[in-house]
């Protein structure tokens, strides 16, 4: 199937069905997944998918439909369903195709080496991750070692003559290891990602899972305290991902963001700099154009402690009297475009982890948080989440702790970030974030 | 209408076993969905979808090889079967002739949602919005969602299995934001089931009223207490606690990997003798119910805890074969893009003899946790964390001030042992459960339950 052609056919059909404007997003992908357990391949999959999603406008009303049938007839049926759906929506004067259409130059979305990796070779890689996770003494089990990759192409066409496409590749691997047994069991996750399997270091990924689990072995519940807290890169990325979702203009305009009305205000300590960048060569969410055909770009969000602005698609931009930032995002052809982060990037600082821990003096090093999304009030920003990690005593990592709750509100936390770590890394959990560890001056830590 | 003719299914299975395998399976599906929402008084995001596809898997020993494809074209099905078979190394095996089609439990659908005019669905959203706003001047926003789906499923196995199911689900949800001065609180509620439009005929706007009541109540919330406290967990959505802290640990994949605290504990007394719990995928028209599971096994009621003893895990075909037992009909998958894994259907505590007032009345100082914002559990340890979205203080046996920001931190085994009483008011709520990248509808429920002591992480210093 020629994707651009399928998208164009869909747009023609939508216009023929009476749409005043329309766009179509067509997608085709292949993916592989290897899951290893106890040194054996537990499952191996090889899958393909394709589909198209059509957005049809009836003046300032918009409807959406998607399907897997890319035949002429199938595409026409989807386009008609989108036009029909539009009848149901209420008028929204800000609806419509973006005025800014085009593509940015983004390098390195595909790796030429990707095709060299046969299924046999990626199975070997997954087995190596598993071996590395099981090797260290004290690891009682490895729950799963998983390798996964995808090669996907998308094409977007609209009734204003835009038509473009791109292809991207991505490979990931992760392992989760256990240390201890019974009630004392602790888990650790290791992860790696890149444009092709060659970018993954199986020893590092498996070893990280083991190290993180072993570091927590024998963890106990500590006494409650208020103290400096070092968030490791995984945990920092979880918080940053959540903060990023609050910086979407959609959340702001709908009154669901604690940052609403705070543009230009001081919301963080000046050491913390945050941007959204849809053009970063390594970013898993990078692309030349966004989900409605606007060029992607880099948008500064927090600099010098101030909130610079929000992320927009064309609809929210029109409503705010701004320009789109190219953040119309698509989960897949099954969802219409809506404002979303691309790659959130926190600028690294000067101190390595040991330096952050030394600065903390006496405090807590958090390596895991649980229930972040249920534990944060998106409007007030107050949160209270379960956590585990290690105490910091005399500027060094000390005994492991668990069953603790850390509580604060997001802006107070951002304002009390004192140091930003130098070791930034990509974390693929819950969005695409590149973050270093962070030292927060003080948080309430409740234990026993 | 048939998705795949039995002759084609037989050829696909034969092709899938070309290089051996203990079992091959073809899962075919056609899905249709429609949804629309209302936000800020405006009906928006109407959307519909139509997909067909199939998944072929071959199991050999403990290894699973699978592939999936969009569409049900003969050449695509045969191609994916061939590609999956390439992963297996052995002599070709022959599938058993396919038997007559099994359909399992029927869930009556009086009015298929697709037969209802779309405009009525938009009107329902508007009526919900009005009801939410009528609840009080402090209601600032309401977001209402409507979704319907229909899935036609066919499963063919090389062991002769042949099963089919038609699944219709409908759900309305409301999320309301209330404001007073600088304070903002949210409340939500849902109604849904494996059913048709009839489920929404009796006062569907109630979900909006209930969501608004919760948001308004929380405006008066005080900081949550911190410490070890008795907790009364509310009925309906309070069952999230059972689902997360116990249910996931009973799924046989976690058990067999020894990644569950419940592994090796069958027959053990885990809770007081008055505690019984079920997983029931056959419960009439319940949200997590189906006729068959996604491997063709008819759904059924499985007693997981009986009189306080652990009596069963939840099985799909693979894990059942490994333990030498029958599948409990818990082999579920999100769609044809996934392989089945053991998943809960509707999981709930059986009703007990107490009344909610008796349970609350027995607590001097504690927390009444009515509804959770979500939760997370580590199945290997049973440790859990839940955010309490609607909670109250209990003082001298009476429910007093609402509290905000409370979390429950604990362990499933400890929580089960600490159950002190169960009321008779069983209710089942509609949840979505995520596991291994697959999301499936799951019913969570229980009557009111009293837990003697749990760690409450609060916002009060």
């Amino acid at each position: 199937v020629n994707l651009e052609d399928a998208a164009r056919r869909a747009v023609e059909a939508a216009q023929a069905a009476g749409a005043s404007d329309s766009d179509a997003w067509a997608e085709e992908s292949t993916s592989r997944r290897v899951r290893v357990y106890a040194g054996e391949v537990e499952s191996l999959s090889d899958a393909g998918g394709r589909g198209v999603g059509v957005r049809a406008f009836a003046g300032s009303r918009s409807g959406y439909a998607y399907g897997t049938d890319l035949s002429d007839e199938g595409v026409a049926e989807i386009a008609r369903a989108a036009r029909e759906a539009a009848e149901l929506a209420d008028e929204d004067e800000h609806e419509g195709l973006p005025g800014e259409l085009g593509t940015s130059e983004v390098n390195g979305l595909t790796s030429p080496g990707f095709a060299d990796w046969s299924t046999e070779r990626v199975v070997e890689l997954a087995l190596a991750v598993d071996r590395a996770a099981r090797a260290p003494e004290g690891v009682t089990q490895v729950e799963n070692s998983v390798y996964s990759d995808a090669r996907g192409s998308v094409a977007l066409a609209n009734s204003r003559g835009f038509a473009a496409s791109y292809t991207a590749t991505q490979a990931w691997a992760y392992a989760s290891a256990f240390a201890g047994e019974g009630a004392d069991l602790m888990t650790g996750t290791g992860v790696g990602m890149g444009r092709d399997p060659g970018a993954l270091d199986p020893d590092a990924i498996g070893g990280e899972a083991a190290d993180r689990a072993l570091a927590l072995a024998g963890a106990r519940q500590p006494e409650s305290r208020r103290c400096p807290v070092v968030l490791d890169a995984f945990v920092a990325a979880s918080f940053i991902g959540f903060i990023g979702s609050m910086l979407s203009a959609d959340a702001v305009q709908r009154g669901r963001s604690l940052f609403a009305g705070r543009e230009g205000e001081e919301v963080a300590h000046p050491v913390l700099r945050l941007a959204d960048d849809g053009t970063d060569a390594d970013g898993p969410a990078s692309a030349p154009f966004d989900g409605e055909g606007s060029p992607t770009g880099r948008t500064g969000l927090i600099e010098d402690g101030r909130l610079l602005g929000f992320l927009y698609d064309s609809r929210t931009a029109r409503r705010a009297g701004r320009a789109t930032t190219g953040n119309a995002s698509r989960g897949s052809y099954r969802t219409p475009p809506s404002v979303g982060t691309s790659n959130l990037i926190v600028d690294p600082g000067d101190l390595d982890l040991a330096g952050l821990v030394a600065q903390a003096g006496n405090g807590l090093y958090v390596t895991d948080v649980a229930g972040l999304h249920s534990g944060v009030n998106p409007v007030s920003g107050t949160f209270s989440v379960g956590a585990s990690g290690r105490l910091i005593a005399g500027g060094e990592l000390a005994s492991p702790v668990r069953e603790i709750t850390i509580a604060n509100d997001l802006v107070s936390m951002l304002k009390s970030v004192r140091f930003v770590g130098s070791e930034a890394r990509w974390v693929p959990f819950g969005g695409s974030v590149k973050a270093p560890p962070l030292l927060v001056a003080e948080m309430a830590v409740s234990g026993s | 209408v048939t998705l795949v003719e039995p002759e084609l299914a037989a050829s696909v299975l034969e092709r899938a076993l070309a290089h051996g395998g203990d079992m091959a399976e073809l899962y075919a599906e056609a899905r249709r969905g429609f949804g629309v929402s209302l936000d800020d008084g405006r009906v928006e995001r109407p959307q519909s979808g139509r997909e067909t596809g199939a998944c072929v898997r071959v199991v050999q020993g403990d290894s699973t090889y699978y592939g999936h494809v969009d569409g049900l074209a003969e050449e695509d099905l045969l191609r994916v079967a061939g590609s999956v078979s390439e992963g297996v190394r052995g002599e070709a095996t022959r599938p058993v002739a396919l038997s007559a089609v099994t359909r399992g439990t029927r869930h009556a659908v009086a009015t298929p949602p697709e037969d209802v005019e779309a405009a009525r669905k938009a009107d329902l959203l508007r009526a919900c919005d009005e009801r939410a706003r009528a609840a009080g001047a402090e209601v600032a926003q309401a977001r209402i969602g409507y979704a319907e789906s229909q899935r036609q499923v066919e499963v063919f196995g090389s062991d002769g299995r042949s099963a089919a199911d038609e699944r219709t689900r409908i759900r309305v949800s409301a999320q309301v934001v209330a404001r007073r001065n600088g304070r903002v609180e949210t409340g939500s509620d849902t109604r849904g089931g494996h059913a048709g439009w009839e489920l929404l005929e009796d006062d569907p706007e109630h979900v909006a009223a209930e969501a608004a009541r919760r948001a308004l109540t929380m405006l008066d919330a005080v900081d949550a207490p911190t410490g070890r406290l008795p907790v009364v967990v509310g009925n309906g959505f309070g069952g999230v606690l059972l689902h997360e802290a116990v249910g996931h640990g009973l799924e046989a994949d976690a058990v067999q990997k020894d990644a569950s605290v419940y592994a090796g504990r069958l027959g053990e007394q885990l809770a007081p003798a008055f505690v019984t719990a079920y997983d029931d995928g056959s419960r009439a028209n319940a949200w997590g119910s189906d006729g068959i599971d996604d491997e063709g096994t008819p759904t059924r009621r499985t007693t997981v805890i009986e009189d306080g003893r652990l009596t069963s895990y939840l099985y799909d075909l693979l894990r059942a074969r490994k333990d030498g037992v029958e599948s409990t009909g818990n082999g579920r998958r999100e769609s044809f893009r996934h392989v089945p894994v053991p998943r809960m259907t509707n999981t709930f505590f059986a009703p007990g003899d107490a009344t909610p007032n008796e349970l609350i009345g027995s607590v001097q100082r504690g927390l009444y946790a009515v509804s959770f914002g979500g939760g997370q559990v580590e199945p290997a340890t049973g440790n859990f964390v839940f955010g309490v979205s609607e909670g109250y203080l209990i003082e001298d046996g009476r429910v007093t001030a609402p509290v905000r920001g409370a979390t429950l931190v604990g362990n499933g085994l400890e929580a089960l042992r600490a159950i002190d009483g169960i009321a008779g008011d069983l209710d089942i709520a509609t949840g979505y459960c995520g596991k291994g990248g697959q999301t499936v509808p799951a019913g969570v429920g229980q009557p009111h339950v009293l837990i003697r002591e749990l760690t409450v992480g609060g916002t009060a210093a």
Side-chain angles (χ1 to χ4, degrees), chain A residues 37 41-50 64-68 85 90-91 141 143-144 185 254-256 333-334 371 379 384, chain B residues 34 39 42-52 63-68 70 126 141 143 179 184 257 337 376 381 407:
Chain A
Y37 176 65
V41 174
E42 185 183 66
S43 70
L44 170 62
S45 78
D46 204 331
R50 60 169 178 264
Y64 195 77
Y66 66 89
T68 48
D90 286 329
E91 304 263 341
Q141 210 197 132
E143 190 189 12
N144 263 317
L185 193 144
R254 292 176 192 271
R256 289 191 199 109
Y333 66 88
R334 294 190 284 279
V379 183
S384 169
Chain B
F34 171 78
D39 204 338
R42 188 149 53 202
V43 173
E44 58 181 27
R45 295 179 185 154
Q47 67 170 293
S48 65
R50 204 177 263 275
E51 299 172 275
T52 59
S63 300
T64 297
Y65 305 87
Y66 69 101
H68 55 82
D70 285 352
R126 292 188 185 99
Q141 282 171 27
R143 176 159 49 163
R179 277 177 200 271
V184 181
K257 286 185 170 179
R337 298 189 178 91
Q376 217 168 319
T381 57
T407 53

XYZ file of all heavy atoms in Angstrom, chain A residues 37 41-50 64-68 85 90-91 141 143-144 185 254-256 333-334 371 379 384, chain B residues 34 39 42-52 63-68 70 126 141 143 179 184 257 337 376 381 407:
503
model
N 12.134 -15.801 29.657
C 11.948 -16.125 31.068
C 12.786 -17.356 31.397
O 12.765 -18.328 30.644
C 10.464 -16.392 31.376
C 10.228 -16.828 32.792
C 10.491 -15.956 33.854
C 9.773 -18.114 33.084
C 10.300 -16.342 35.161
C 9.572 -18.513 34.389
C 9.833 -17.626 35.429
O 9.652 -18.011 36.726
N 13.172 -18.624 25.535
C 12.218 -17.732 24.873
C 10.818 -18.111 25.328
O 10.373 -19.228 25.120
C 12.315 -17.851 23.338
C 11.210 -17.036 22.670
C 13.684 -17.389 22.870
N 10.159 -17.179 25.987
C 8.796 -17.462 26.443
C 7.797 -17.127 25.338
O 6.834 -17.836 25.116
C 8.484 -16.648 27.692
C 7.135 -16.975 28.290
C 6.810 -16.096 29.481
O 6.631 -14.882 29.315
O 6.755 -16.636 30.590
N 8.030 -16.019 24.656
C 7.186 -15.732 23.502
C 7.955 -14.914 22.477
O 8.899 -14.197 22.806
C 5.908 -15.016 23.913
O 6.189 -13.714 24.320
N 7.540 -15.082 21.232
C 8.174 -14.397 20.109
C 7.057 -13.962 19.182
O 6.214 -14.781 18.800
C 9.109 -15.385 19.399
C 9.688 -14.959 18.059
C 10.552 -13.735 18.199
C 10.503 -16.107 17.464
N 7.013 -12.691 18.861
C 5.950 -12.265 17.956
C 6.488 -11.414 16.830
O 7.521 -10.767 16.939
C 4.884 -11.494 18.705
O 5.327 -10.180 18.940
N 5.766 -11.440 15.755
C 6.106 -10.746 14.536
C 4.770 -10.250 14.013
O 3.900 -11.047 13.702
C 6.700 -11.780 13.567
C 7.588 -11.124 12.543
O 7.331 -9.958 12.231
O 8.520 -11.792 12.071
N 4.581 -8.953 14.010
C 3.244 -8.482 13.701
C 3.262 -7.329 12.728
O 4.238 -6.597 12.623
C 2.547 -8.049 14.973
N 2.163 -7.183 12.034
C 2.021 -6.081 11.097
C 0.681 -5.420 11.289
O -0.271 -6.054 11.717
N 0.623 -4.130 11.003
C -0.659 -3.453 11.116
C -0.731 -2.297 10.143
O 0.293 -1.767 9.724
N -1.942 -1.938 9.745
C -2.112 -0.743 8.924
C -3.535 -0.236 9.084
O -4.462 -1.007 9.353
C -1.786 -1.038 7.467
C -2.639 -2.106 6.857
C -2.457 -2.169 5.341
N -3.272 -3.239 4.805
C -2.805 -4.460 4.555
N -1.553 -4.769 4.798
N -3.599 -5.388 4.065
N -14.554 12.232 13.653
C -13.411 11.361 13.382
C -13.872 9.923 13.178
O -14.821 9.465 13.816
C -12.442 11.406 14.575
C -11.079 10.834 14.260
C -10.162 11.571 13.517
C -10.704 9.567 14.705
C -8.916 11.062 13.215
C -9.456 9.046 14.413
C -8.561 9.801 13.663
O -7.326 9.298 13.376
N -13.198 9.234 12.281
C -13.462 7.802 12.107
C -12.183 7.116 11.660
O -11.321 7.739 11.046
C -14.566 7.576 11.086
N -12.043 5.849 11.997
C -10.847 5.113 11.598
C -11.211 3.689 11.238
O -12.297 3.195 11.577
C -9.802 5.115 12.719
C -10.229 4.362 13.957
C -9.961 2.993 14.094
C -10.916 5.008 14.976
C -10.361 2.307 15.221
C -11.319 4.324 16.104
C -11.041 2.968 16.231
O -11.439 2.291 17.343
N -10.296 3.041 10.558
C -10.551 1.650 10.196
C -9.316 1.000 9.604
O -8.299 1.662 9.359
N -9.416 -0.300 9.389
C -8.278 -1.070 8.913
C -8.387 -1.409 7.428
O -7.476 -1.998 6.867
C -8.161 -2.388 9.703
O -9.450 -3.018 9.742
C -7.686 -2.129 11.124
N -20.073 11.729 11.702
C -19.805 12.006 13.112
C -19.770 13.502 13.378
O -20.212 13.976 14.430
C -18.495 11.348 13.543
N -20.923 19.910 18.630
C -21.328 21.308 18.699
C -20.293 22.163 17.967
O -19.148 21.753 17.801
C -21.434 21.751 20.163
C -22.680 21.185 20.833
O -23.695 20.997 20.120
O -22.639 20.919 22.046
N -20.709 23.352 17.567
C -19.800 24.279 16.884
C -18.635 24.643 17.808
O -18.824 24.806 19.008
C -20.537 25.588 16.552
C -21.799 25.435 15.742
C -21.545 25.662 14.260
O -20.512 26.272 13.949
O -22.361 25.204 13.443
N 15.483 -13.898 41.181
C 14.750 -14.257 39.982
C 14.729 -13.095 39.011
O 14.892 -11.945 39.415
C 13.300 -14.616 40.344
C 12.700 -15.633 39.413
C 11.182 -15.689 39.507
O 10.525 -15.673 38.492
N 10.654 -15.755 40.705
N 12.015 -11.669 36.459
C 10.618 -11.894 36.093
C 10.437 -11.931 34.588
O 9.695 -12.740 34.058
C 9.747 -10.793 36.711
C 8.267 -11.097 36.579
C 7.386 -9.933 36.996
O 7.908 -8.827 37.162
O 6.180 -10.148 37.143
N 11.135 -11.044 33.896
C 10.978 -10.923 32.461
C 12.149 -10.175 31.886
O 12.605 -9.208 32.472
C 9.758 -10.048 32.145
C 8.547 -10.887 31.867
O 8.644 -11.897 31.167
N 7.440 -10.480 32.414
N 11.021 -9.312 49.391
C 11.374 -9.242 47.990
C 11.324 -7.801 47.462
O 10.380 -7.070 47.722
C 10.396 -10.123 47.218
C 10.766 -10.431 45.786
C 10.327 -11.842 45.459
C 10.094 -9.457 44.878
N -8.879 24.091 29.609
C -10.021 23.425 30.222
C -9.980 23.530 31.746
O -10.758 22.874 32.433
C -10.050 21.948 29.801
C -10.371 21.763 28.321
C -10.298 20.294 27.939
N -10.310 20.097 26.503
C -11.413 19.956 25.760
N -12.587 19.992 26.316
N -11.323 19.767 24.457
N -9.039 24.311 32.246
C -8.970 24.515 33.693
C -8.506 23.279 34.446
O -8.836 23.084 35.601
N -7.736 22.408 33.776
C -7.284 21.187 34.437
C -5.793 21.197 34.674
O -5.168 20.147 34.720
C -7.657 19.973 33.587
C -9.127 19.727 33.618
C -9.493 18.383 33.021
N -10.904 18.446 32.688
C -11.389 18.497 31.462
N -10.570 18.416 30.439
N -12.668 18.598 31.253
N -3.436 5.827 14.380
C -4.516 6.245 13.489
C -5.880 6.103 14.161
O -6.882 6.595 13.665
C -4.478 5.440 12.185
C -4.766 3.960 12.348
C -6.069 3.488 12.303
C -3.734 3.036 12.558
C -6.347 2.135 12.454
C -3.994 1.704 12.711
C -5.302 1.247 12.661
O -5.564 -0.085 12.827
N -5.916 5.440 15.303
C -7.188 5.234 15.986
C -7.609 6.415 16.855
O -8.676 6.388 17.440
C -7.117 3.957 16.843
C -6.978 2.703 15.990
C -7.140 1.443 16.806
N -5.979 1.132 17.613
C -4.887 0.523 17.162
N -4.825 0.150 15.903
N -3.880 0.276 17.958
N 2.090 4.812 41.966
C 0.805 5.503 42.023
C 0.892 6.991 41.792
O 0.082 7.760 42.302
N -4.991 19.615 39.444
C -5.379 21.021 39.487
C -4.638 21.772 40.594
O -4.129 22.865 40.397
C -6.905 21.152 39.634
C -7.305 22.617 39.601
C -7.608 20.403 38.520
N 0.912 12.854 46.981
C 1.329 11.992 48.072
C 1.479 10.621 47.430
O 0.494 10.032 47.015
C 0.232 12.007 49.147
O 0.472 11.007 50.098
N -18.029 3.325 18.985
C -18.447 4.711 18.801
C -18.346 5.414 20.150
O -18.658 4.823 21.192
C -19.894 4.776 18.287
C -20.434 6.183 18.280
C -20.080 7.073 17.271
C -21.271 6.631 19.304
C -20.548 8.384 17.290
C -21.747 7.937 19.319
C -21.380 8.818 18.306
N -17.619 18.453 27.003
C -16.683 19.134 27.885
C -17.010 20.614 27.832
O -17.241 21.142 26.752
C -15.248 18.877 27.390
C -14.246 19.016 28.510
O -14.560 19.694 29.509
O -13.153 18.442 28.386
N -19.942 21.614 25.765
C -19.930 21.420 24.319
C -19.751 19.939 23.960
O -18.835 19.288 24.463
C -18.783 22.233 23.737
C -18.747 22.280 22.253
C -18.157 23.571 21.739
N -16.867 23.853 22.330
C -16.337 25.071 22.398
N -16.995 26.104 21.929
N -15.157 25.245 22.933
N -20.607 19.454 23.079
C -20.467 18.079 22.595
C -19.310 18.050 21.603
O -19.269 18.846 20.672
C -21.761 17.593 21.914
C -21.550 16.224 21.275
C -22.903 17.539 22.920
N -18.356 17.170 21.832
C -17.176 17.143 20.975
C -16.634 15.729 20.811
O -17.093 14.797 21.459
C -16.092 18.074 21.550
C -15.686 17.693 22.957
C -14.625 18.624 23.549
O -14.562 19.794 23.135
O -13.866 18.168 24.406
N -15.642 15.623 19.943
C -14.931 14.371 19.700
C -15.833 13.179 19.357
O -15.620 12.086 19.873
C -14.081 13.997 20.911
C -12.982 15.007 21.153
C -12.168 14.634 22.356
N -11.199 15.693 22.618
C -10.677 15.962 23.799
N -11.028 15.246 24.840
N -9.803 16.918 23.949
N -16.835 13.373 18.501
C -17.573 12.186 18.071
C -16.642 11.342 17.218
O -15.944 11.880 16.359
C -18.717 12.774 17.239
C -18.224 14.110 16.778
C -17.276 14.606 17.826
N -16.572 10.070 17.472
C -15.719 9.245 16.628
C -16.174 7.805 16.571
O -16.752 7.278 17.506
C -14.261 9.330 17.057
C -13.945 8.739 18.390
C -12.429 8.677 18.579
O -11.728 7.943 17.906
N -11.906 9.471 19.490
N -15.926 7.203 15.407
C -16.306 5.800 15.252
C -15.136 5.034 14.655
O -14.262 5.622 14.023
C -17.528 5.689 14.350
O -17.207 6.131 13.054
N -15.098 3.753 14.897
C -14.012 2.934 14.374
C -14.512 1.563 13.983
O -15.516 1.071 14.516
N -13.818 0.985 13.033
C -14.212 -0.322 12.522
C -12.919 -1.062 12.158
O -12.171 -0.597 11.302
C -15.036 -0.085 11.266
C -15.981 -1.155 10.881
C -16.732 -0.676 9.646
N -18.021 -0.109 9.960
C -19.124 -0.859 10.101
N -19.091 -2.153 9.939
N -20.272 -0.279 10.377
N -12.671 -2.166 12.838
C -11.433 -2.901 12.578
C -11.718 -4.386 12.469
O -12.577 -4.903 13.181
C -10.453 -2.746 13.743
C -10.013 -1.351 14.036
C -9.199 -1.310 15.313
O -9.810 -1.217 16.398
O -7.974 -1.409 15.238
N -10.955 -5.061 11.621
C -10.969 -6.514 11.635
C -9.524 -6.979 11.666
O -8.625 -6.264 11.222
C -11.639 -7.114 10.379
O -10.915 -6.650 9.232
C -13.090 -6.714 10.277
N 7.098 -22.150 25.235
C 7.297 -21.021 24.334
C 6.068 -20.753 23.480
O 5.414 -21.687 23.020
C 8.490 -21.277 23.411
O 9.662 -21.468 24.179
N 5.787 -19.484 23.282
C 4.667 -19.065 22.449
C 5.197 -18.263 21.271
O 5.998 -17.348 21.454
C 3.699 -18.178 23.258
O 3.152 -18.954 24.315
C 2.564 -17.663 22.385
N 4.753 -18.601 20.081
C 5.110 -17.866 18.871
C 3.824 -17.309 18.306
O 2.846 -18.041 18.182
C 5.786 -18.807 17.858
C 6.970 -19.523 18.456
C 6.816 -20.724 19.149
C 8.250 -18.972 18.371
C 7.895 -21.358 19.747
C 9.343 -19.604 18.950
C 9.159 -20.798 19.644
O 10.239 -21.415 20.222
N 3.777 -16.020 18.022
C 2.533 -15.474 17.496
C 2.744 -14.322 16.538
O 3.831 -13.737 16.469
C 1.582 -15.062 18.619
C 2.029 -13.864 19.439
C 1.500 -12.603 19.214
C 2.964 -14.008 20.463
C 1.880 -11.510 19.974
C 3.355 -12.926 21.229
C 2.819 -11.669 20.972
O 3.203 -10.589 21.722
N 1.697 -14.047 15.812
C 1.721 -12.919 14.900
C 0.295 -12.446 14.708
O -0.647 -13.198 14.944
N 0.139 -11.183 14.319
C -1.216 -10.713 14.043
C -1.227 -9.856 12.797
O -0.197 -9.362 12.345
C -1.818 -9.973 15.234
C -1.003 -8.828 15.740
N -1.038 -7.588 15.153
C -0.128 -8.743 16.771
C -0.234 -6.772 15.826
N 0.346 -7.453 16.804
N -3.851 -7.077 10.363
C -5.090 -6.324 10.191
C -5.821 -6.901 8.994
O -5.204 -7.159 7.963
C -4.783 -4.844 9.929
C -4.345 -4.109 11.189
O -4.436 -4.707 12.279
O -3.925 -2.944 11.083
N -25.809 15.973 27.206
C -26.298 17.300 27.625
C -27.121 17.196 28.907
O -27.001 18.052 29.791
C -27.120 17.932 26.500
C -26.269 18.310 25.289
C -27.054 19.114 24.254
N -26.235 19.350 23.077
C -26.308 18.627 21.954
N -27.187 17.637 21.844
N -25.500 18.887 20.948
N -17.001 22.711 36.244
C -16.859 22.030 34.962
C -17.406 20.635 35.060
O -17.337 20.015 36.113
C -15.385 21.844 34.635
C -14.689 23.053 34.116
C -13.208 22.800 34.033
O -12.769 21.659 33.880
N -12.442 23.842 34.159
N -17.269 16.965 32.652
C -16.836 16.249 31.453
C -17.601 14.928 31.459
O -17.497 14.160 32.417
C -15.335 16.017 31.498
C -14.832 15.194 30.333
C -13.350 15.384 30.081
N -12.532 15.249 31.281
C -11.218 15.060 31.254
N -10.593 14.972 30.107
N -10.531 14.962 32.358
N -15.202 24.249 42.439
C -14.257 25.276 42.896
C -14.866 26.120 43.994
O -16.042 26.485 43.924
C -13.937 26.246 41.754
C -12.873 25.800 40.808
C -12.723 26.827 39.685
N -12.079 26.197 38.557
C -10.750 26.161 38.401
N -9.957 26.739 39.276
N -10.220 25.537 37.367
N -9.848 23.556 44.468
C -10.412 22.819 43.347
C -10.463 21.343 43.686
O -9.475 20.774 44.148
C -9.523 23.002 42.095
C -10.113 22.269 40.916
C -9.367 24.469 41.774
N 5.380 -18.009 37.919
C 6.723 -17.414 37.884
C 7.204 -17.116 39.279
O 8.247 -16.487 39.453
C 6.697 -16.131 37.074
C 6.600 -16.377 35.598
C 6.706 -15.069 34.880
C 6.860 -15.293 33.401
N 6.943 -14.016 32.701
N -4.610 -7.958 18.428
C -3.191 -7.566 18.406
C -2.429 -8.103 19.611
O -1.278 -7.745 19.826
C -3.082 -6.046 18.345
C -3.701 -5.448 17.094
C -3.397 -3.975 16.946
N -3.970 -3.472 15.701
C -5.184 -2.950 15.598
N -5.935 -2.821 16.671
N -5.631 -2.537 14.431
N -1.792 0.902 42.662
C -0.715 0.140 42.055
C -0.266 -0.912 43.046
O -0.289 -0.683 44.254
C 0.442 1.071 41.741
C 1.129 0.731 40.460
C 2.067 1.844 40.037
O 1.748 3.021 40.143
N 3.234 1.473 39.570
N 5.323 -8.971 45.941
C 5.335 -8.775 47.386
C 3.937 -8.564 47.941
O 3.700 -8.749 49.122
C 6.155 -7.521 47.747
O 5.595 -6.401 47.057
C 7.605 -7.682 47.361
N -3.536 8.410 51.125
C -3.160 7.212 50.381
C -3.169 6.043 51.355
O -2.911 6.209 52.543
C -1.740 7.309 49.771
O -0.827 7.659 50.809
C -1.667 8.341 48.684
